Amino acid sequence: EIKNILVPVDFSEVAPFVVEWAKNFAKKLGAKIKLIYVLEDFSTYEGIYSNIQTFAEMENNLMDAAQSSMEEFLKKYFSDFPEVESIIVKGDIVEKIIEVGEEVKADLIIMGTHGRKGLDKILFGSVAEGVVKNSPIPVVTINPYRMKKEK
């Protein structure tokens, strides 16, 4: 029985295709959606920066921006779906998706195979691969670029 679906998002131009599919799936099952955004943990780069205060400020700014982006995303794409909860965490993206999935007792993870173009597209593709390979929770992956072409 699928009652909780975790949906990782990156706020890219293809994220709406993934969440639309996830919403339709959730509606058919009567399931709730936990929408998650993971801010990559930049602490591994601390030695590169000479001014740690600037680094901390940047991380705080990114967290504030993620919160604003999540609020806008929810208003735009979930006004017709009240059974959604947003989660923003910081850390290793693959690890956090799986960890939060377990914490919220997700029965399924639905995620895109690619996010933004360029480097982020490659990184998000590896995120999907990492989640598929390591998650004890079943994972459905969607190639948003193929969905986009079919519409």
Side-chain angles (χ1 to χ4, degrees):
E1 190 173 27
I2 297 173
K3 291 293 176 193
N4 286 308
I5 301 172
L6 185 69
V7 182
V9 293
D10 64 354
F11 308 126
S12 68
E13 73 279 356
V14 296
F17 294 100
V18 176
V19 297
E20 196 60 38
W21 196 90
K23 281 190 330 187
N24 289 334
F25 196 75
K27 285 176 185 176
K28 289 176 184 169
L29 297 171
K32 296 178 181 178
I33 290 179
K34 311 291 187 193
L35 199 64
I36 181 173
Y37 175 80
V38 182
L39 180 64
E40 187 174 8
D41 186 2
F42 292 110
S43 64
T44 55
Y45 303 109
E46 283 180 7
I48 296 172
Y49 297 97
S50 60
N51 186 340
I52 194 69
Q53 186 175 5
T54 304
F55 176 77
E57 287 172 13
M58 180 182 70
E59 200 168 61
N60 288 336
N61 288 340
L62 288 171
M63 191 58 100
D64 290 343
Q67 186 62 46
S68 295
S69 294
M70 181 66 83
E71 289 169 12
E72 288 177 34
F73 196 84
L74 286 169
K75 283 180 192 171
K76 189 168 185 176
Y77 300 107
F78 283 89
S79 60
D80 62 336
F81 192 89
E83 296 297 319
V84 63
E85 176 188 337
S86 65
I87 301 163
I88 298 176
V89 293
K90 182 180 76 167
D92 177 84
I93 300 172
V94 171
E95 288 175 11
K96 285 295 179 181
I97 290 170
I98 295 168
E99 181 183 304
V100 169
E102 291 177 321
E103 286 172 7
V104 301
K105 298 180 177 22
D107 303 300
L108 182 67
I109 298 171
I110 297 177
M111 64 188 302
T113 56
H114 298 82
R116 294 182 179 95
K117 292 183 179 174
L119 180 60
D120 287 338
K121 180 178 175 184
I122 294 164
L123 289 175
F124 202 76
S126 66
V127 168
E129 180 182 1
V131 173
V132 167
K133 285 182 176 179
N134 297 296
S135 177
I137 302 164
V139 181
V140 172
T141 59
I142 298 166
N143 183 332
Y145 290 99
R146 289 187 184 253
M147 290 177 69
K148 199 173 175 180
K149 287 178 186 173
E150 292 172 7
K151 290 201 173 218

